[in-house]
Amino acid sequence: MKIRLIHRKTHWTLTIQGWIVTLLCIMSFMLFTLNTIYPFLAVNSPVAADVMVVEGWIPDYAIKDAIALFQRGSYNYLITTGLPVTKGYYLAEYNNFAELTAATFISLGFNSEKLVAVPAPNVIKHRTQASAIALREWLSTSELEVKSINLYSLGPHARRSWIIFKAVLEPKIRVGVIAAEPQEYDPQQWWQSSEGVRTMIGEAIAYLYARFVDWQT
């Protein structure tokens, strides 16, 4: 009985020209991704609305931009959302981002009569969903007749927040979105700074998770 331990096997492999074409395709895909991922995540798709909803965790410079945007638009009210703060909770006058951000708006000269803070409860998971649900519950009991809102978020976080707020509020309330431009890095060349790389990778992963695994993020 003859025992064979090895055998000859033929297979296809890339030629030099094939490797060149493959590498060019990979490089083209990488360049395309670098140039398109930020505008995709930092989506701007506002709708005609008389209410602006601001995520309370955004930095102060974005709050200034939100005031200017509010004044240029046809908004009647501005609503801040947010969870409890995670630093200085026992020392701060305001213990959640919704009220803290609302106070910042007022300190910057915003009309308090057009401002409402809607804090969300403390949760470990589904934080954006908690803010959206708190907003929905507040709107359902308020005297405002809101048919559409524009959600104001920061940079590449905008698309993920938009997905979640739409899932919670629509079809009863139409949701648009506006992405403030971050100042911590250049959005057009985000790959040139560690902050930009960390933010984009994290938001891209979080978007895929929210979009295809669990939107309650």
Side-chain angles (χ1 to χ4, degrees):
M1 181 177 179
K2 189 175 181 181
I3 299 176
R4 299 183 61 184
L5 300 179
I6 60 174
H7 69 277
R8 185 177 180 181
K9 188 176 182 180
T10 60
H11 63 278
W12 294 94
T13 187
L14 292 173
T15 63
I16 294 178
Q17 294 87 345
W19 278 111
I20 293 174
V21 172
T22 300
L23 291 174
L24 288 175
C25 290
I26 294 174
M27 292 177 62
S28 298
F29 176 76
M30 291 178 62
L31 290 174
F32 174 79
T33 301
L34 290 176
N35 290 321
T36 59
I37 189 171
Y38 180 84
F40 173 76
L41 294 177
V43 57
N44 281 281
S45 183
V47 298
D50 58 0
V51 174
M52 177 188 292
V53 176
V54 176
E55 293 195 279
W57 55 266
I58 64 174
D60 289 348
Y61 65 80
I63 295 176
K64 290 183 178 180
D65 293 339
I67 293 175
L69 188 62
F70 183 94
Q71 293 173 343
R72 292 196 302 266
S74 58
Y75 301 103
N76 295 323
Y77 291 95
L78 188 148
I79 300 174
T80 59
T81 64
L83 276 67
V85 297
T86 56
K87 179 70 174 178
Y89 181 89
Y90 300 103
L91 302 176
E93 179 180 358
Y94 304 99
N95 301 134
N96 60 78
F97 284 106
E99 293 177 349
L100 176 61
T101 301
T104 304
F105 270 100
I106 294 174
S107 69
L108 293 173
F110 193 85
N111 186 353
S112 60
E113 295 181 355
K114 296 184 177 181
L115 182 63
V116 179
V118 180
N122 188 27
V123 293
I124 298 176
K125 292 181 62 179
H126 307 158
R127 292 169 295 179
T128 304
Q129 182 207 18
S131 292
I133 290 176
L135 175 63
R136 182 183 64 191
E137 293 177 349
W138 184 88
L139 290 173
S140 66
T141 59
S142 72
E143 297 179 355
L144 298 180
E145 294 184 2
V146 179
K147 295 183 179 179
S148 59
I149 66 168
N150 277 324
L151 177 65
Y152 187 81
S153 188
L154 180 66
H157 193 276
R159 184 170 288 275
R160 180 157 54 107
S161 292
W162 190 33
I163 290 174
I164 296 172
F165 271 78
K166 286 176 65 177
V168 172
L169 298 177
E170 290 188 346
K172 186 175 181 179
I173 299 175
R174 189 181 179 195
V175 181
V177 65
I178 301 171
E181 188 169 292
Q183 294 183 3
E184 294 82 3
Y185 56 92
D186 182 359
Q188 307 305 320
Q189 297 179 325
W190 56 266
W191 56 88
Q192 294 186 356
S193 70
S194 59
E195 180 67 25
V197 171
R198 287 196 302 269
T199 300
M200 294 303 298
I201 291 177
E203 289 296 343
I205 294 173
Y207 163 74
L208 292 174
Y209 183 84
R211 182 68 177 83
F212 298 107
V213 181
D214 183 4
W215 60 263
Q216 300 173 327
T217 302

